[in-house]
Structure formats: C-alpha cells, structure tokens
C-alpha cells in the first residue's frame, strides 16, 4: 500500500525518486525557486485558522528549508520546530534573520544536529523524528513538504505526521495541482483523493482555497496551469 493512486491519476510520477543528494545540491547551487522571501500569502490569510484563538503554540514546519514564517511565528510568541536535511538551508535562515543559535547533538539520531531556542531546527531526515524526540504540536504549516516527499513515501510521511499532532491541533497543508503527465516533479501533484486516502481516517479535511499560481517557470516546465491548493486538517 504505497498510498499512490493509479498511474493515470498521477502520470508517471508514482515511481519518481528524488535523492537526498539532489535536495542538498539544490541548496548548494541556489536552485531554490520554491523559497518565498516574503513568506506565503496563504499562511498570512489563514493564520487565524492555524492559531484558532490560541497563544503560545508549538508549531511544526516539516521540510522547513529557510522559511521566513518560522521567524514571524516565533516573534508572535509561538515555539517553532522545523526539520530540514540541508544544513546550509538552516544556516542561511539564522544568518538572514541575524539570529544567534547554539548547536547540540541529538542523541537519539546519529549525525543529527539541533539548533535550539524558541526556534528549534533539526538537521536530519524527517523520518528520524518521533514524538519522543520532538514532542507533539498544536499546529503544522506544511507548504512544500508533502509535495516534495517521494510519492512512494507518502504513506510513511502521513503516518508520522499523525503521531506528531495534538488532538486539538490544526494542520494547514498546501498541495499543488497540474498535469502530472507534463512535469515529473518535484513539486509533485497530490490529488484531493489522495489527501483523503492518506489522512481521512484521522482528520476532517476541508479545502480552504485554490489559487492560480501559474508563472513563466511553470510554462518552461511545459505546463499550462498550476494551482496551489490549501487544506485544513483537524482531528476527528
């Protein structure tokens, strides 16, 4: 049960594998067009859905890169935890925001490092994390994570995310929609049917908005449309 629907639904993407080395190379070469320097407008618009009137939350950023929203939420008084395989991305995050940090080894994860403070970032594979290491979270901002996970690993990813969530948490999930026969990914196309098969046993799933995000970059990929789709997931 790979969590991947039939080939016609996801094109040729179901067997696509992006190695850790490829992701590291993207950061090394500055090929990070997915990074949004001004933050993501959908998080700004739907922040109230994530916070739900609550203060002092623990908020998780899976595959965080150097997302500027981590600083933004920390400045509001929330505790932010991110995980990212690229040490360069994490160093750039702290440098670009002028933040001091200290590095600590993570005893439970060989080779992992954690840069701690009210923004605590783990440099390791997300699959090395567990609630016994990082605790549980009141909120998740998943933009660029599920769509970056290799399609064959989606069930593994979703199962992990379920274990990291508090029962009253809000999980904001951004996916992308385009013709998967025209682009091999990443970001990978994740249809709504698959969101339901991955998370539907645990969460109420609601689509909040679809945004036309088509640009020249997507035209160069051979696409004729590209949508961002925002969902909120709440425990049943």
């Amino acid at each position: 049960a790979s969590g991947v629907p039939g080939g016609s639904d996801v094109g040729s993407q179901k067997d696509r594998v992006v190695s850790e080395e490829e992701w590291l190379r993207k950061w090394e070469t500055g090929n990070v067009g997915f990074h949004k320097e001004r933050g993501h407008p959908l998080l700004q618009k739907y922040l109230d859905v994530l916070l739900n009137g609550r203060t002092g939350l623990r908020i998780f950023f899976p595959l965080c890169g150097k997302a500027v929203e981590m600083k933004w939420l920390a400045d509001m008084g929330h505790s932010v935890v991110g995980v990212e395989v690229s040490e360069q991305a994490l160093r750039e995050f702290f440098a670009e925001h002028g933040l001091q940090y200290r590095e600590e080894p993570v005893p439970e994860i060989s080779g992992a490092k954690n840069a701690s403070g009210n923004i605590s970032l783990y440099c390791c594979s997300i699959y090395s994390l567990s609630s016994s290491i990082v605790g549980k979270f009141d909120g998740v901002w998943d933009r660029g994570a599920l769509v970056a996970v290799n399609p064959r690993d989606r069930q593994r990813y979703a199962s992990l995310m379920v274990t990291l969530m508090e029962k009253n948490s809000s999980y904001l999930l951004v996916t992308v929609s385009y013709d998967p026969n025209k682009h091999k990914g990443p970001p990978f196309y994740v249809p709504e049917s698959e969101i339901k098969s991955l998370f539907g046993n645990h969460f109420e799933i609601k689509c909040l908005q679809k945004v036309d995000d088509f640009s020249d970059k997507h035209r160069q990929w051979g696409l004729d449309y590209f949508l961002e789709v925002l969902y909120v997931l709440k425990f049943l």
Side-chain angles (χ1 to χ4, degrees), residues 72 98 110 121:
W72 184 50
S110 173
L121 304 182

Side-chain angles (χ1 to χ4, degrees), residues 139-151:
V140 172
W141 172 242
D142 183 335
R143 180 262 162 183
L146 179 62
V147 298
V149 168
N150 289 323

Side-chain angles (χ1 to χ4, degrees), residues 5 9-10 154 175-177 188-198 231:
D9 206 7
V10 294
R154 281 181 193 153
T175 65
V176 293
S177 180
F188 296 110
Y189 166 58
V190 185
E192 185 164 343
S193 59
E194 189 164 4
I195 302 295
K196 290 175 177 172
S197 71
L198 289 170
Y231 300 91

Side-chain angles (χ1 to χ4, degrees), residues 10-231:
V10 294
S12 59
Q13 292 187 350
K14 65 185 175 65
D15 299 319
R16 171 95 162 105
V17 174
V18 183
S19 68
E20 191 172 293
E21 288 70 29
E22 283 180 74
W23 286 112
L24 295 175
R25 196 154 54 245
K26 284 180 185 289
W27 284 100
E28 288 163 9
T29 59
N31 181 21
V32 289
F34 47 81
H35 174 67
K36 287 192 180 288
E37 292 181 9
R38 293 185 179 84
H40 201 293
L42 283 174
L43 180 57
Q44 294 161 12
K45 180 174 181 179
Y46 290 96
L47 180 64
D48 290 348
V49 175
L50 181 67
L51 302 182
N52 200 19
R54 302 168 297 166
T55 57
L57 302 188
R58 297 190 79 236
I59 300 175
F60 186 44
F61 280 67
L63 283 56
C64 60
K66 57 177 182 177
V68 300
E69 296 92 342
M70 296 190 289
K71 171 79 162 49
W72 184 50
L73 284 162
D75 286 347
M76 292 179 200
H78 304 291
S79 296
V80 171
V81 175
V83 61
E84 168 60 50
V85 76
S86 168
E87 187 171 345
Q88 179 176 336
L90 302 183
R91 290 190 185 282
E92 287 180 12
F93 170 79
F94 287 115
E96 289 169 11
H97 294 284
L99 296 172
Q100 299 293 313
Y101 64 96
R102 78 174 180 277
E103 287 185 9
E104 302 165 344
V106 183
E108 302 93 334
I109 310 172
S110 173
K113 284 189 273 194
N114 178 30
S116 63
N118 65 336
I119 302 175
S120 185
L121 304 182
Y122 288 80
C123 187
C124 61
S125 163
I126 188 170
Y127 304 118
S128 298
L129 296 186
S130 66
S131 58
S132 63
I133 297 171
V134 294
K136 295 200 173 195
F137 299 100
D138 307 300
V140 172
W141 172 242
D142 183 335
R143 180 262 162 183
L146 179 62
V147 298
V149 168
N150 289 323
R152 69 181 188 188
D153 293 328
R154 281 181 193 153
Q155 187 62 63
R156 183 184 184 193
Y157 174 86
S159 298
L160 171 65
M161 295 301 289
V162 169
T163 68
L164 296 178
M165 308 287 294
E166 294 283 12
K167 290 301 181 192
N168 62 344
S169 57
S170 296
Y171 184 154
L172 289 185
L173 169 64
V174 180
T175 65
V176 293
S177 180
Y178 60 85
D179 183 346
N181 293 296
K182 294 184 175 181
H183 178 61
K184 64 182 182 177
F188 296 110
Y189 166 58
V190 185
E192 185 164 343
S193 59
E194 189 164 4
I195 302 295
K196 290 175 177 172
S197 71
L198 289 170
F199 294 106
N201 288 340
H202 301 278
F203 295 104
E204 175 193 358
I205 300 164
K206 182 180 177 186
C207 180
L208 295 176
Q209 190 171 351
K210 296 183 180 183
V211 179
D212 179 1
D213 197 40
F214 188 70
S215 68
D216 285 342
K217 172 179 70 177
H218 303 122
R219 188 176 286 110
Q220 289 165 10
W221 290 355
L223 301 179
D224 40 27
Y225 71 95
F226 188 93
L227 303 174
E228 284 195 316
V229 187
L230 176 68
Y231 300 91

